[in-house]
Amino acid sequence: IFRKTPSKRGVQVITGLGKYFRQIDKNRNGFLSQAALKEALKVFHLEMPEGDFESLWLILDDSKSDKVDYGKFTHAIFGEMNEYRKAFERKAYMKLDFNKTGSVPMVDVRKCYCAK
């Protein structure tokens, strides 16, 4: 589905899938059913033969729970962050967690970040 170095469309699809997964996860548990994953792939024009989807599902549903962790799915697609990105993430988090509590309330994120 994805190349080693994703194209612009590839990046848009991957980020779009993550957003879509969060939207359809009504109970916010981080998991998707087989039907929900199949529908998401269809929405993003990533349909595949049923046999290939079944193979994908077997790999993703390693706990045999009939649901997949979409964070693990997107991590498998994106891969591990390189050290530069990890360092950048740590610096950003330290700036946001100015009270050093170990968590950042949304109100503090809004003070420092504009998504426009």
Side-chain angles (χ1 to χ4, degrees), residues 16-57:
L17 270 172
K19 185 177 180 180
Y20 184 81
F21 290 158
R22 288 186 297 278
Q23 287 174 345
I24 64 174
D25 183 13
K26 299 299 181 198
N27 59 4
R28 301 197 187 284
N29 66 0
F31 290 94
L32 295 174
S33 68
Q34 188 173 9
L37 178 61
K38 190 179 287 188
E39 181 62 25
L41 295 177
K42 184 178 178 181
V43 166
F44 285 86
H45 306 289
L46 298 171
E47 296 169 89
M48 59 186 74
E50 187 61 31
D52 291 349
F53 181 81
E54 292 298 327
S55 297
L56 173 66
W57 184 259

Side-chain angles (χ1 to χ4, degrees), residues 30 68 74 78 82 100 107:
V68 294
T74 53
F78 277 120
N82 63 33
K100 308 295 182 237
V107 69

Side-chain angles (χ1 to χ4, degrees), residues 1-3 8 12-14 34 39 58 81 93-94:
I1 294 175
F2 301 102
R3 296 183 222 155
K8 184 176 181 179
Q12 290 172 336
V13 167
I14 293 168
Q34 188 173 9
E39 181 62 25
L58 289 173
M81 282 196 296
Y93 189 83
M94 288 178 4

Side-chain angles (χ1 to χ4, degrees), residues 36-98:
L37 178 61
K38 190 179 287 188
E39 181 62 25
L41 295 177
K42 184 178 178 181
V43 166
F44 285 86
H45 306 289
L46 298 171
E47 296 169 89
M48 59 186 74
E50 187 61 31
D52 291 349
F53 181 81
E54 292 298 327
S55 297
L56 173 66
W57 184 259
L58 289 173
I59 293 167
L60 295 173
D61 185 24
D62 56 357
S63 64
K64 308 294 180 242
S65 60
D66 290 327
K67 57 187 176 186
V68 294
D69 179 329
Y70 61 78
K72 280 175 56 177
F73 174 76
T74 53
H75 182 266
I77 300 300
F78 277 120
E80 188 68 34
M81 282 196 296
N82 63 33
E83 285 305 314
Y84 174 78
R85 287 180 60 208
K86 285 180 185 178
F88 191 80
E89 179 189 31
R90 283 190 294 269
K91 286 172 70 174
Y93 189 83
M94 288 178 4
K95 183 167 180 79
L96 290 171
D97 187 20
F98 52 86

